[in-house]
Amino acid sequence: MVEAMSSPDPSDSGAIPATGDSIPAHPQGQPRVALAPGLYVVSTPIGNLRDITIRALDVLAAADEVLAEDTRVAGKLMSAYGLKVRLSPYHDHNGAERRPGLLKALQEGAKIALISDAGTPLVSDPGWKLAHDALEAGVRVFPIPGASAMLAGLVASGLPSDKFLFAGFLPPKSGARKSAAEALKAVPGTLIFYESGPRLADALADLADVFGPRDGAVTRELTKMFEETRRGTLAELAAHYAEAGPPRGEIVLLVGPPGEEEVTPEQLDAALREALDGQPTKAAANAVAAALGLPKRDVYQRALQLKADG
């Protein structure tokens, strides 16, 4: 098992600046941007306050209203950048009540920004319902990209990043968790989950039972002072956290893709014979090649040989 630690410079740790020492949101003399009407989905830092874009600051400063999961958390960010904005709560508990009024305001030309406590809204977040309903109502939705815990975790993990699936939070109970993992077992890419510290060791053990000796990674406190990435097999990681105890901080859990299994000639022939029963040769060969991950030309040549041999 490999452990990698990264401790950013303390001055860049994302600590809230002291009162009166905020970070300017706009260079002196630069006018604030004019926003088109619509819903602006704005990414905010996942830990380090400097991980916010200039465009995000422009949008937050110019919006008629900023919707936040927790206005206290959002208020710290606004204070750090000297932003005077109209903050209002939008979360799971009040979303159904608030959406009709927000949609009416948006249809009448309002410019509303939506943020989460950290990262990109709509990812395991209640904001997706508002964005969906806004689009259905003919309102423009503008993505303002920025920090994302799942992508930061993927980058730090060292696992394959050409194909991946974000699967959100695993179920809290072991039986349901194993069933969810079983449904993802054949996904040909890295799997990304969010998880809590108290459930981490049990979740890793269940994943090891289902996926076997796959590589995994646990990343936590991303972009913060005590950022940590721990890599190993799922079983090794489960054993470590069972002994060390629940880690603190926000956690991204990643599981490597399944290993490539060699297809035997007998398996190829069996698949081709089944596919050739009722399909043209080329179509059957293409279907088998895609299913088994083999070169189309080689499979097609073998299909022709099987047909010639009768």
Side-chain angles (χ1 to χ4, degrees):
M1 182 165 60
V2 179
E3 178 181 359
M5 293 289 293
S6 172
S7 296
D9 188 285
S11 64
D12 225 17
S13 66
I16 303 295
T19 303
D21 188 27
S22 63
I23 307 166
H26 305 275
Q28 188 173 2
Q30 177 179 317
R32 294 192 174 188
V33 298
L35 299 181
L39 178 65
Y40 290 78
V41 181
V42 183
S43 298
T44 55
I46 58 176
N48 192 313
L49 282 184
R50 293 188 180 273
D51 289 338
I52 193 166
T53 68
I54 294 173
R55 186 183 178 206
L57 294 173
D58 286 341
V59 169
L60 293 173
D64 299 324
E65 181 179 2
V66 177
L67 308 178
E69 278 185 273
D70 188 328
T71 55
R72 295 167 298 180
V73 173
K76 293 179 181 179
L77 176 65
M78 304 307 160
S79 175
Y81 283 95
L83 295 177
K84 305 295 184 183
V85 304
R86 178 188 169 198
L87 277 174
S88 65
Y90 180 85
H91 44 69
D92 275 330
H93 302 296
N94 71 352
E97 179 183 349
R98 292 216 59 195
R99 274 194 296 277
L102 292 169
L103 292 171
K104 183 174 185 294
L106 287 165
Q107 289 175 312
E108 291 174 352
K111 293 155 293 217
I112 297 177
L114 171 70
I115 64 174
S116 63
D117 285 349
T120 300
L122 278 60
V123 179
S124 285
D125 175 82
W128 77 268
K129 293 181 181 178
L130 178 60
H132 173 271
D133 290 356
L135 289 167
E136 290 290 309
V139 174
R140 286 195 68 183
V141 174
F142 299 91
I144 311 299
S148 168
M150 69 169 179
L151 291 177
L154 179 63
V155 168
S157 72
L159 295 171
S161 58
D162 55 335
K163 295 179 183 178
F164 59 89
L165 172 70
F166 174 66
F169 286 91
L170 287 163
K173 294 186 177 180
S174 180
R177 190 160 50 218
K178 286 184 176 181
S179 295
E182 195 69 44
L184 299 170
K185 193 173 181 179
V187 172
T190 295
L191 301 173
I192 307 174
F193 304 96
Y194 288 162
E195 193 50 272
S196 69
R199 292 203 304 254
L200 179 61
D202 289 341
L204 284 163
D206 285 342
L207 292 176
D209 284 346
V210 174
F211 294 138
R214 289 200 204 177
D215 289 332
V218 173
T219 68
R220 68 179 190 91
E221 295 289 86
L222 290 166
T223 78
K224 299 180 184 179
M225 177 74 72
F226 299 105
E227 177 179 300
E228 176 186 17
T229 298
R230 184 173 291 273
R231 298 181 293 118
T233 67
L234 293 172
E236 288 171 340
L237 291 168
H240 169 78
Y241 287 107
E243 180 179 352
R248 291 185 174 185
E250 302 295 326
I251 295 167
V252 182
L253 166 59
L254 304 100
V255 179
E260 294 184 3
E261 297 182 3
E262 185 176 350
V263 178
T264 66
E266 292 76 16
Q267 290 172 326
L268 174 59
D269 287 356
L272 280 172
R273 288 192 178 95
E274 183 177 352
L276 286 167
D277 185 14
Q279 299 189 70
T281 304
K282 188 172 184 180
N286 286 344
V288 170
L292 299 181
L294 297 174
K296 290 183 179 180
R297 181 171 179 173
D298 293 348
V299 176
Y300 180 61
Q301 291 299 320
R302 181 56 185 163
L304 291 176
Q305 184 63 48
L306 287 175
K307 290 204 75 170
D309 292 345

